[in-house]
């Protein structure tokens, strides 16, 4: 039996509810895949502020170094919004990404055939969409120095070093090699020096991947093209803030932000989380969609633990539950046979996955 240590950060809002369902699915495949999962909980965000006074306790930073992968729910909520910036839940998450060195954020946007009617776009535009957004996660304007909020002016700086661009470009090219071998690098090189720099380095790294078709697009155009004709994209490579914005836009192609997972990988242990937030407005009601988090453990099995068969098992179980017409509230308007709660959806997927 293989044994993996999983760090678990449930977080705030709907975080605990959806993470519990993902763990339920992991436990359900344990016997049939001959894998044992050993969990340890860590605090982050609002939950950490309430318990320790800071959003990223030292114990969490140390603890996640000792596990094989980290499963994360979501953080944040109105309760902590008025705190100083460095004490806010979001600062905890950014600090954790930096501490873990997870510079590559993979955000797939796929459209499940079963949910092709759930998108606000026409089925012919979205059916078959399969995009991988590769977002640089530990640099750019999120982390650039200097930064300041003064009385009469405020500024942030968008900074990228050569090494930072090189390594994220390599991640994108490597992923594209296993897909349709097309990379579209998104920037704002018509205005920003940092983007022209990004573009030049991506071109440089591309020389090592002659089989890949590389294109460049300005971010404003990319936002438009994602809505106009999403199927033109295979891998989108972009920086931190553009990737943040474009991945939210891309997620809606699938019909609900509650469906899409993400993986943050890089220098060591990876962090796996749904791309949505903590949704405080629906927390505690048992209506959140656990699929994004369940799909995140599938990415964890595939990318961090090399357990492809277990990952496939979970992916098929998600598809089957949708094909059978089970829907949480966010997607209940689309070909639903039965509207189910968060825990029911988790149990249904766990059950299919264990067969
Ligand atoms: C995300 C979130 C975070 C980000 C926030 C919560 C700091 O929006 O993971 O996309 O901007 O990166
Ligand atoms: Mn975001």
């Amino acid at each position: 039996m293989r044994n993996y240590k999983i760090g678990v950060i449930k977080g705030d809002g709907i975080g605990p509810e959806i993470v519990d369902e993902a763990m339920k699915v992991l436990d359900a495949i344990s016997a049939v895949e001959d894998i044992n999962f050993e969990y340890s909980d860590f605090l982050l965000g609002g939950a950490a502020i309430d318990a320790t006074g800071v959003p990223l306790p030292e114990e969490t930073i140390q603890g996640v170094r000792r596990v094989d992968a980290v499963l994360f729910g979501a953080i944040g909520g109105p309760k902590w919004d008025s705190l100083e910036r460095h004490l806010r839940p979001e600062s905890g998450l950014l600090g954790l990404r930096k501490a873990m060195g997870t510079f590559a954020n993979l955000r797939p946007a796929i459209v499940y055939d079963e949910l092709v009617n759930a998108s606000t776009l026409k089925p012919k535009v979205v059916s078959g969409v399969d995009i991988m957004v590769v977002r640089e996660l530990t640099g750019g304007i999120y982390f650039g120095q200097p930064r300041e909020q003064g009385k009469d002016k405020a500024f942030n700086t968008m900074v990228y070093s050569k090494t930072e661009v090189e390594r994220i470009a390599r991640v994108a090219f490597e992923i594209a090699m296993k897909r349709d071998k097309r990379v579209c690098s998104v920037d704002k090189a018509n205005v920003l020096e940092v983007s022209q720099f990004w573009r030049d380095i991506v071109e440089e790294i591309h020389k090592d991947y002659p089989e890949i078709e590389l294109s460049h697009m300005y971010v404003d155009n990319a936002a438009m093209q994602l809505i106009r004709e999403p199927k033109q994209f295979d891998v989108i490579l972009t920086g931190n803030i553009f990737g943040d914005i474009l991945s939210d836009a891309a997620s809606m192609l699938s019909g609900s932000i509650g469906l899409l997972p993400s993986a943050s990988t890089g220098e060591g242990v990876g962090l796996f989380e749904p791309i949505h937030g903590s949704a405080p407005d629906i927390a505690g009601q048992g209506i959140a969609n656990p699929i994004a988090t369940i799909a995140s453990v599938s990415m964890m099995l595939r990318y961090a633990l090399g357990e492809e068969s277990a990952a496939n098992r979970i992916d098929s179980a998600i598809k089957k539950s949708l094909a059978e017409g089970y829907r949480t509230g966010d997607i209940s308007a689309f070909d639903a046979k039965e509207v189910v709660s968060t825990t029911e959806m988790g149990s249904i997927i766990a059950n299919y996955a264990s067969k």
Side-chain angles (χ1 to χ4, degrees), residues 126-170:
V126 295
S127 94
V129 159
D130 180 0
I131 301 170
M132 180 65 90
V133 178
V134 177
R135 168 189 177 194
E136 199 290 326
L137 200 61
T138 54
I141 198 165
Y142 274 51
F143 293 91
Q145 295 289 349
R147 58 192 295 162
E148 194 177 294
Q149 185 172 351
K151 239 172 127 240
D152 299 316
K153 69 171 184 198
F155 52 85
N156 291 89
T157 33
M158 200 191 278
V159 184
Y160 269 116
S161 71
K162 189 158 185 262
T163 322
E164 283 174 322
V165 184
E166 281 172 355
R167 64 187 184 180
I168 193 70
R170 281 196 196 282

Short mmCIF file of all heavy atoms in Angstrom, two decimals, residues 126-170:
data_model
loop_
_atom_site.label_atom_id
_atom_site.label_comp_id
_atom_site.label_asym_id
_atom_site.label_seq_id
_atom_site.Cartn_x
_atom_site.Cartn_y
_atom_site.Cartn_z
N VAL A 126 -18.95 26.87 -26.89
CA VAL A 126 -18.21 26.30 -25.75
C VAL A 126 -18.02 24.79 -25.79
O VAL A 126 -17.14 24.27 -25.10
CB VAL A 126 -18.86 26.67 -24.39
CG1 VAL A 126 -18.80 28.16 -24.16
CG2 VAL A 126 -20.27 26.13 -24.27
N SER A 127 -18.82 24.09 -26.59
CA SER A 127 -18.71 22.63 -26.49
C SER A 127 -17.32 22.18 -26.94
O SER A 127 -16.80 22.62 -27.96
CB SER A 127 -19.84 21.95 -27.27
OG SER A 127 -19.41 21.65 -28.55
N GLY A 128 -16.71 21.36 -26.13
CA GLY A 128 -15.37 20.85 -26.45
C GLY A 128 -14.23 21.75 -26.02
O GLY A 128 -13.06 21.44 -26.24
N VAL A 129 -14.54 22.87 -25.36
CA VAL A 129 -13.46 23.76 -24.90
C VAL A 129 -12.55 23.02 -23.92
O VAL A 129 -13.02 22.31 -23.04
CB VAL A 129 -14.04 25.03 -24.22
CG1 VAL A 129 -13.00 25.68 -23.30
CG2 VAL A 129 -14.52 26.03 -25.25
N ASP A 130 -11.26 23.14 -24.12
CA ASP A 130 -10.28 22.50 -23.24
C ASP A 130 -9.03 23.37 -23.24
O ASP A 130 -8.14 23.22 -24.08
CB ASP A 130 -9.98 21.09 -23.76
CG ASP A 130 -8.96 20.37 -22.88
OD1 ASP A 130 -8.49 20.96 -21.88
OD2 ASP A 130 -8.64 19.21 -23.21
N ILE A 131 -9.01 24.32 -22.30
CA ILE A 131 -7.92 25.30 -22.23
C ILE A 131 -7.15 25.08 -20.94
O ILE A 131 -7.74 24.76 -19.92
CB ILE A 131 -8.49 26.74 -22.23
CG1 ILE A 131 -9.32 27.01 -23.48
CG2 ILE A 131 -7.37 27.78 -22.10
CD1 ILE A 131 -10.11 28.32 -23.44
N MET A 132 -5.84 25.25 -21.00
CA MET A 132 -5.06 25.25 -19.76
C MET A 132 -4.43 26.63 -19.59
O MET A 132 -3.60 27.04 -20.41
CB MET A 132 -3.97 24.18 -19.81
CG MET A 132 -3.13 24.12 -18.55
SD MET A 132 -4.05 23.63 -17.08
CE MET A 132 -3.82 21.84 -17.15
N VAL A 133 -4.86 27.35 -18.57
CA VAL A 133 -4.24 28.64 -18.27
C VAL A 133 -3.05 28.37 -17.35
O VAL A 133 -3.21 27.77 -16.29
CB VAL A 133 -5.23 29.62 -17.59
CG1 VAL A 133 -4.53 30.93 -17.25
CG2 VAL A 133 -6.45 29.86 -18.47
N VAL A 134 -1.87 28.79 -17.78
CA VAL A 134 -0.67 28.68 -16.95
C VAL A 134 -0.35 30.08 -16.45
O VAL A 134 0.11 30.94 -17.21
CB VAL A 134 0.51 28.09 -17.75
CG1 VAL A 134 1.77 28.04 -16.88
CG2 VAL A 134 0.16 26.69 -18.26
N ARG A 135 -0.63 30.31 -15.19
CA ARG A 135 -0.50 31.64 -14.59
C ARG A 135 0.73 31.68 -13.70
O ARG A 135 0.89 30.84 -12.81
CB ARG A 135 -1.76 31.93 -13.76
CG ARG A 135 -1.66 33.13 -12.85
CD ARG A 135 -2.86 33.21 -11.89
NE ARG A 135 -2.73 34.32 -10.97
CZ ARG A 135 -3.47 34.48 -9.88
NH1 ARG A 135 -4.40 33.60 -9.57
NH2 ARG A 135 -3.29 35.51 -9.09
N GLU A 136 1.60 32.67 -13.91
CA GLU A 136 2.74 32.86 -13.02
C GLU A 136 2.18 33.32 -11.67
O GLU A 136 1.32 34.19 -11.63
CB GLU A 136 3.69 33.92 -13.61
CG GLU A 136 5.11 33.89 -13.05
CD GLU A 136 5.22 34.33 -11.60
OE1 GLU A 136 4.45 35.23 -11.21
OE2 GLU A 136 6.05 33.80 -10.87
N LEU A 137 2.63 32.75 -10.57
CA LEU A 137 1.90 32.94 -9.31
C LEU A 137 2.68 33.62 -8.18
O LEU A 137 2.10 34.02 -7.18
CB LEU A 137 1.38 31.58 -8.82
CG LEU A 137 0.24 31.59 -7.82
CD1 LEU A 137 -1.01 32.26 -8.38
CD2 LEU A 137 -0.11 30.17 -7.36
N THR A 138 3.98 33.74 -8.30
CA THR A 138 4.71 34.30 -7.15
C THR A 138 5.51 35.55 -7.51
O THR A 138 6.44 35.93 -6.80
CB THR A 138 5.66 33.24 -6.53
OG1 THR A 138 6.51 32.73 -7.56
CG2 THR A 138 4.89 32.11 -5.90
N GLY A 139 5.15 36.17 -8.64
CA GLY A 139 5.86 37.38 -9.04
C GLY A 139 4.89 38.43 -9.57
O GLY A 139 3.71 38.43 -9.23
N GLY A 140 5.40 39.32 -10.43
CA GLY A 140 4.55 40.34 -11.04
C GLY A 140 4.08 41.38 -10.05
O GLY A 140 4.65 41.58 -8.97
N ILE A 141 3.00 42.04 -10.40
CA ILE A 141 2.53 43.19 -9.61
C ILE A 141 2.05 42.79 -8.22
O ILE A 141 2.01 43.61 -7.30
CB ILE A 141 1.45 43.98 -10.39
CG1 ILE A 141 1.27 45.38 -9.82
CG2 ILE A 141 0.14 43.21 -10.43
CD1 ILE A 141 0.52 46.32 -10.73
N TYR A 142 1.69 41.53 -8.03
CA TYR A 142 1.26 41.09 -6.70
C TYR A 142 2.38 41.22 -5.67
O TYR A 142 2.11 41.39 -4.49
CB TYR A 142 0.83 39.61 -6.73
CG TYR A 142 -0.60 39.35 -7.12
CD1 TYR A 142 -1.14 39.91 -8.27
CD2 TYR A 142 -1.40 38.52 -6.35
CE1 TYR A 142 -2.45 39.63 -8.64
CE2 TYR A 142 -2.71 38.24 -6.71
CZ TYR A 142 -3.23 38.79 -7.85
OH TYR A 142 -4.51 38.52 -8.20
N PHE A 143 3.61 41.05 -6.13
CA PHE A 143 4.73 41.01 -5.19
C PHE A 143 5.75 42.12 -5.43
O PHE A 143 6.71 42.23 -4.67
CB PHE A 143 5.43 39.64 -5.26
CG PHE A 143 4.57 38.50 -4.76
CD1 PHE A 143 3.76 37.79 -5.62
CD2 PHE A 143 4.57 38.16 -3.41
CE1 PHE A 143 2.95 36.75 -5.16
CE2 PHE A 143 3.77 37.13 -2.94
CZ PHE A 143 2.96 36.42 -3.81
N GLY A 144 5.57 42.90 -6.51
CA GLY A 144 6.59 43.87 -6.92
C GLY A 144 6.90 44.92 -5.85
O GLY A 144 6.01 45.41 -5.17
N GLN A 145 8.17 45.23 -5.72
CA GLN A 145 8.62 46.30 -4.82
C GLN A 145 9.23 47.40 -5.68
O GLN A 145 9.85 47.10 -6.68
CB GLN A 145 9.69 45.77 -3.85
CG GLN A 145 9.18 44.73 -2.88
CD GLN A 145 8.24 45.28 -1.82
OE1 GLN A 145 8.12 46.49 -1.67
NE2 GLN A 145 7.56 44.40 -1.10
N PRO A 146 9.10 48.70 -5.33
CA PRO A 146 8.38 49.18 -4.15
C PRO A 146 6.87 49.17 -4.33
O PRO A 146 6.36 49.10 -5.45
CB PRO A 146 8.89 50.61 -4.02
CG PRO A 146 9.21 51.03 -5.43
CD PRO A 146 9.68 49.77 -6.12
N ARG A 147 6.18 49.27 -3.22
CA ARG A 147 4.72 49.40 -3.21
C ARG A 147 4.35 50.29 -2.05
O ARG A 147 5.02 50.29 -1.02
CB ARG A 147 4.07 48.02 -3.10
CG ARG A 147 4.49 47.24 -1.85
CD ARG A 147 4.08 45.79 -1.90
NE ARG A 147 2.63 45.64 -1.89
CZ ARG A 147 2.02 44.51 -2.28
NH1 ARG A 147 2.73 43.48 -2.73
NH2 ARG A 147 0.72 44.41 -2.25
N GLU A 148 3.30 51.06 -2.21
CA GLU A 148 2.97 52.00 -1.14
C GLU A 148 1.57 52.55 -1.31
O GLU A 148 1.12 52.79 -2.42
CB GLU A 148 3.97 53.17 -1.18
CG GLU A 148 3.96 54.03 0.06
CD GLU A 148 5.03 55.11 -0.05
OE1 GLU A 148 6.24 54.77 -0.08
OE2 GLU A 148 4.66 56.29 -0.15
N GLN A 149 0.92 52.74 -0.20
CA GLN A 149 -0.34 53.48 -0.20
C GLN A 149 -0.15 54.72 0.63
O GLN A 149 -0.10 54.66 1.86
CB GLN A 149 -1.48 52.61 0.35
CG GLN A 149 -2.81 53.33 0.24
CD GLN A 149 -3.99 52.43 0.59
OE1 GLN A 149 -3.84 51.23 0.75
NE2 GLN A 149 -5.15 53.03 0.72
N GLY A 150 0.03 55.86 -0.05
CA GLY A 150 0.22 57.11 0.67
C GLY A 150 -1.09 57.88 0.74
O GLY A 150 -2.14 57.35 0.39
N LYS A 151 -0.99 59.11 1.17
CA LYS A 151 -2.20 59.93 1.30
C LYS A 151 -2.59 60.54 -0.04
O LYS A 151 -3.76 60.62 -0.38
CB LYS A 151 -1.97 61.05 2.33
CG LYS A 151 -2.96 60.95 3.47
CD LYS A 151 -2.63 61.91 4.60
CE LYS A 151 -3.85 62.75 4.92
NZ LYS A 151 -3.74 64.16 4.77
N ASP A 152 -1.57 60.96 -0.81
CA ASP A 152 -1.86 61.64 -2.07
C ASP A 152 -1.61 60.78 -3.29
O ASP A 152 -2.02 61.10 -4.39
CB ASP A 152 -1.01 62.90 -2.18
CG ASP A 152 -1.34 63.85 -1.05
OD1 ASP A 152 -2.54 64.02 -0.76
OD2 ASP A 152 -0.40 64.38 -0.42
N LYS A 153 -0.89 59.69 -3.09
CA LYS A 153 -0.71 58.76 -4.20
C LYS A 153 -0.41 57.36 -3.67
O LYS A 153 -0.04 57.20 -2.49
CB LYS A 153 0.39 59.23 -5.15
CG LYS A 153 1.77 59.17 -4.57
CD LYS A 153 2.82 59.45 -5.63
CE LYS A 153 4.20 59.28 -5.03
NZ LYS A 153 5.29 59.87 -5.72
N ALA A 154 -0.61 56.40 -4.55
CA ALA A 154 -0.35 55.01 -4.18
C ALA A 154 0.25 54.32 -5.38
O ALA A 154 -0.01 54.72 -6.52
CB ALA A 154 -1.64 54.32 -3.77
N PHE A 155 1.10 53.33 -5.17
CA PHE A 155 1.63 52.62 -6.33
C PHE A 155 2.00 51.18 -6.02
O PHE A 155 2.29 50.81 -4.89
CB PHE A 155 2.86 53.34 -6.93
CG PHE A 155 3.92 53.65 -5.91
CD1 PHE A 155 4.88 52.70 -5.57
CD2 PHE A 155 3.95 54.90 -5.29
CE1 PHE A 155 5.87 52.99 -4.64
CE2 PHE A 155 4.94 55.20 -4.35
CZ PHE A 155 5.90 54.24 -4.02
N ASN A 156 1.94 50.38 -7.08
CA ASN A 156 2.49 49.02 -7.08
C ASN A 156 3.38 48.93 -8.30
O ASN A 156 3.25 49.72 -9.23
CB ASN A 156 1.36 47.99 -7.16
CG ASN A 156 0.55 47.96 -5.88
OD1 ASN A 156 -0.42 48.68 -5.74
ND2 ASN A 156 0.95 47.12 -4.95
N THR A 157 4.27 47.97 -8.30
CA THR A 157 5.17 47.86 -9.44
C THR A 157 5.12 46.45 -10.00
O THR A 157 5.10 45.47 -9.25
CB THR A 157 6.62 48.19 -9.03
OG1 THR A 157 6.82 47.75 -7.68
CG2 THR A 157 6.88 49.66 -9.10
N MET A 158 5.10 46.36 -11.32
CA MET A 158 5.09 45.04 -11.96
C MET A 158 6.51 44.69 -12.33
O MET A 158 7.11 45.32 -13.19
CB MET A 158 4.19 45.05 -13.19
CG MET A 158 3.77 43.63 -13.57
SD MET A 158 2.97 43.47 -15.15
CE MET A 158 1.31 43.92 -14.81
N VAL A 159 7.05 43.71 -11.65
CA VAL A 159 8.44 43.32 -11.86
C VAL A 159 8.51 41.85 -12.24
O VAL A 159 7.87 41.02 -11.60
CB VAL A 159 9.28 43.50 -10.56
CG1 VAL A 159 10.74 43.19 -10.81
CG2 VAL A 159 9.11 44.90 -9.98
N TYR A 160 9.26 41.53 -13.29
CA TYR A 160 9.59 40.14 -13.59
C TYR A 160 11.07 39.99 -13.85
O TYR A 160 11.66 40.77 -14.59
CB TYR A 160 8.78 39.61 -14.80
CG TYR A 160 7.47 38.98 -14.35
CD1 TYR A 160 6.25 39.53 -14.73
CD2 TYR A 160 7.49 37.87 -13.51
CE1 TYR A 160 5.06 38.97 -14.28
CE2 TYR A 160 6.30 37.31 -13.06
CZ TYR A 160 5.10 37.86 -13.44
OH TYR A 160 3.95 37.30 -12.98
N SER A 161 11.67 38.99 -13.22
CA SER A 161 13.08 38.72 -13.50
C SER A 161 13.15 37.68 -14.61
O SER A 161 12.18 36.99 -14.91
CB SER A 161 13.77 38.18 -12.25
OG SER A 161 13.31 36.87 -11.99
N LYS A 162 14.34 37.60 -15.21
CA LYS A 162 14.56 36.66 -16.31
C LYS A 162 14.24 35.22 -15.86
O LYS A 162 13.53 34.49 -16.54
CB LYS A 162 16.03 36.79 -16.72
CG LYS A 162 16.41 36.06 -17.97
CD LYS A 162 17.67 36.67 -18.58
CE LYS A 162 18.01 36.02 -19.90
NZ LYS A 162 19.02 34.98 -19.82
N THR A 163 14.77 34.87 -14.69
CA THR A 163 14.55 33.51 -14.18
C THR A 163 13.07 33.21 -13.99
O THR A 163 12.61 32.10 -14.29
CB THR A 163 15.22 33.37 -12.79
OG1 THR A 163 16.44 34.07 -12.81
CG2 THR A 163 15.41 31.94 -12.40
N GLU A 164 12.34 34.18 -13.49
CA GLU A 164 10.91 33.95 -13.25
C GLU A 164 10.16 33.68 -14.55
O GLU A 164 9.29 32.80 -14.61
CB GLU A 164 10.29 35.18 -12.56
CG GLU A 164 10.61 35.28 -11.07
CD GLU A 164 10.09 36.57 -10.46
OE1 GLU A 164 10.15 37.64 -11.12
OE2 GLU A 164 9.63 36.52 -9.31
N VAL A 165 10.51 34.44 -15.60
CA VAL A 165 9.80 34.24 -16.87
C VAL A 165 10.25 32.93 -17.52
O VAL A 165 9.42 32.17 -18.03
CB VAL A 165 10.02 35.43 -17.83
CG1 VAL A 165 9.20 35.23 -19.10
CG2 VAL A 165 9.65 36.75 -17.17
N GLU A 166 11.54 32.66 -17.44
CA GLU A 166 12.06 31.43 -18.06
C GLU A 166 11.38 30.19 -17.49
O GLU A 166 10.93 29.32 -18.22
CB GLU A 166 13.57 31.31 -17.80
CG GLU A 166 14.38 32.17 -18.73
CD GLU A 166 15.87 32.20 -18.37
OE1 GLU A 166 16.26 31.62 -17.32
OE2 GLU A 166 16.63 32.81 -19.13
N ARG A 167 11.29 30.12 -16.16
CA ARG A 167 10.79 28.87 -15.58
C ARG A 167 9.29 28.69 -15.83
O ARG A 167 8.83 27.58 -16.07
CB ARG A 167 11.14 28.78 -14.08
CG ARG A 167 10.50 29.84 -13.22
CD ARG A 167 11.03 29.79 -11.80
NE ARG A 167 10.31 30.75 -10.98
CZ ARG A 167 10.52 30.96 -9.69
NH1 ARG A 167 11.44 30.27 -9.06
NH2 ARG A 167 9.81 31.84 -9.03
N ILE A 168 8.52 29.78 -15.85
CA ILE A 168 7.09 29.61 -16.11
C ILE A 168 6.86 29.30 -17.60
O ILE A 168 5.96 28.53 -17.95
CB ILE A 168 6.26 30.84 -15.64
CG1 ILE A 168 4.76 30.53 -15.62
CG2 ILE A 168 6.49 32.07 -16.48
CD1 ILE A 168 4.30 29.57 -14.57
N ALA A 169 7.70 29.88 -18.46
CA ALA A 169 7.57 29.58 -19.89
C ALA A 169 7.84 28.09 -20.13
O ALA A 169 7.12 27.42 -20.89
CB ALA A 169 8.53 30.44 -20.70
N ARG A 170 8.85 27.56 -19.45
CA ARG A 170 9.16 26.13 -19.60
C ARG A 170 7.99 25.26 -19.16
O ARG A 170 7.66 24.27 -19.81
CB ARG A 170 10.40 25.74 -18.79
CG ARG A 170 11.66 26.13 -19.48
CD ARG A 170 12.90 25.44 -18.93
NE ARG A 170 14.06 26.18 -19.41
CZ ARG A 170 14.55 26.06 -20.64
NH1 ARG A 170 14.01 25.18 -21.49
NH2 ARG A 170 15.56 26.80 -21.04
#
